[in-house]
Amino acid sequence: MRFPAEPFRIKVVEPLRYVSREERARLLAGAGLNIFQVPADSIYIDLLTDSGTSAMSDSQWAGLMVGDESYAGSRNFYNLERAVREITGYHRMIPTHQGRMAENLLFSTLVRPGQIVPNNSHFDTTRANVEAQGAEALDLVIDEGLDPTFDHPFKGNLDVAKLERLFETHGREKIPLVMITVTNNSGGGQPVSIANARAVREVCDRYGVPLFFDACRFAENCYFIQEREPGYASKSVREIARELFACAVGCTMSGKKDGLVNIGGFLAFNDDSLAERVTNLLLRIEGFPTYGGLAGRDLEGMARGLNEVLSEDYLAFRINQVRNLGAMLDQAGVPIVKPVGGHAVYIDARRFLPHIPQSQFPGQCLVVVLYRDYGIRAVEVGSLMFGHRDPQTGQDVFPKLDLVRLAIPRRVYTSEQMRYVAQSVIEIHRERDAMRGLRLEYEAPVLRHFTARLRELEPATVQT
Ligand code: P61
């Protein structure tokens, strides 16, 4: 039987500070209504991200003490390399300080200006790293993946017909690699099936182009495969992971998600000549190949975390905790992306706040109230994160979806705390008609959501 509740007990606690509503309102106003700029110790429940926020196990903490900080040949590098080989089947593992450096190294090596990199959906760092090479980051997720109400077991799948057409139109010279993000974060934490990964690989092989995974949440993806894909119910998640990774030639990885660590990442594949090119760049911008940008102890924590994350008791608890939060919201009529994904519940802000147009950032409005009134930090994944002004037309361009992500850190919050989150969102939903839109006062040229400053619109200027 799988564990019905937390498959761990708590040995160390981190006290949370209570901050009054007045104090939260003051902090938020000073931060330009940007939740990234609020000090974390003024937050009661922090659902900004599941990235780097996991609680490490006793074994991982013990692993830090056997960190070998030798400049070259640290024993922890070999432990991590072994863990990655066993799980993925890729024999070259290049450690990096986090996922975006793995992306930078891969794209700097393989991508040229004017090329196109298709993905089911690029996450923002992936997109930024593709664009930094002067290339286009193209999202090809299946149409069902863009409809927040459509129930589909593998909404993260990449549209194989669209990929075929892309190759037919542009030829293989324009497409240096194809990526699939497992699970698909920007699309709601939705999984990708093995059948889809195989079909994409088949197209890539025909055109002689490599397929890479953005594998941050591979274990959660594999749990969904076991649960939902015909033929996989009796296979272990570990076996499924091996089969999934065999569909691609390599991966980028942020260990801050399914590596169960607070910092770390890697790039892994089997191509020795690519390893040589990447390593030359790594030496210049990140570190020596046996530590990347990390301490030996960090490598050890990630080696142990990668094995722990494949525990099926852990994964059953993890996926159910996120799913239960979604169910509480759904039952109360809060519009969420369905089915609930692996690491987060996504609220559909356009349906939650239909009276606030995308130009007034409905998702960010909800983020503001969640913190100011309830001490909960969520993140907007919508018109603030992905919207921009088209330089040619001068028009504002908005993404199809305006979502608010409640990302659940791994092994951190109790079910009671999750109930508090659900009740808070439900109360806001009841009062939603009184909420007002926002105006952007400052934006940086890239990744604007980190530093943007906003202001609440006066009631008189709200459009109806
Ligand atoms: C997150 F607000 N994700 O979801 P790094 N690929 C994928 C990711 O989800 C991802 C990375 C690559 C984060 C952290 C984050 O604007 C933001 O180790 C599918 O963070 O470099 C990271 O991995 C990059 C949150 C990143 C953000 C950028 O919360």
Side-chain angles (χ1 to χ4, degrees), residues 36 48-51 97-101 103 123-126 181 183 185-186 214 216-217 253-257 264 343 379 385 405 407 447 449-450:
F36 284 97
L48 177 71
T49 180
D50 65 319
S51 177
H97 74 278
Q98 60 184 88
R100 65 196 75 183
M101 178 51 89
E103 294 160 11
F123 192 63
D124 62 357
T125 58
T126 324
T181 307
T183 57
N185 187 0
S186 308
D214 176 341
C216 308
R217 299 178 179 88
M253 175 76 190
S254 167
K256 300 172 74 172
K257 288 84 171 170
H343 64 293
V379 70
M385 189 181 270
R405 185 178 74 167
L447 299 177
H449 54 289
F450 287 131

Side-chain angles (χ1 to χ4, degrees), residues 211-227:
L211 170 64
F212 282 84
F213 287 137
D214 176 341
C216 308
R217 299 178 179 88
F218 75 97
E220 290 166 7
N221 197 98
C222 291
Y223 184 85
F224 283 120
I225 290 171
Q226 188 191 57
E227 193 179 68

Side-chain angles (χ1 to χ4, degrees), residues 77-78 80-95 242 245 248-251 266-276 279 289:
F77 168 80
Y78 298 109
L80 178 61
E81 186 183 58
R82 190 176 331 110
V84 172
R85 278 183 186 165
E86 284 171 5
I87 293 166
T88 66
Y90 305 144
H91 76 274
R92 299 301 300 259
M93 188 283 300
I94 294 157
R242 193 62 190 253
F245 280 112
V249 302
C251 68
F266 59 82
L267 189 54
F269 44 73
N270 282 320
D271 181 337
D272 290 331
S273 76
L274 178 62
E276 194 182 319
T279 302

Side-chain angles (χ1 to χ4, degrees), residues 70-74 76-78 93 95 282 287-292 294 296 299:
S70 306
Y71 190 90
S74 157
N76 313 110
F77 168 80
Y78 298 109
M93 188 283 300
L282 182 89
F288 190 77
T290 59
Y291 71 82
L294 295 169
L299 299 171

Side-chain angles (χ1 to χ4, degrees), residues 319-338 340-341 344-346 406 408 418 422:
I319 299 293
N320 278 327
Q321 187 180 48
V322 178
R323 195 176 281 162
N324 288 342
L325 174 62
M328 287 187 272
L329 296 178
D330 188 34
Q331 278 155 21
V334 175
I336 59 167
V337 173
K338 287 191 206 165
V340 172
V345 175
Y346 289 71
L406 306 171
I408 315 301
M418 290 295 103

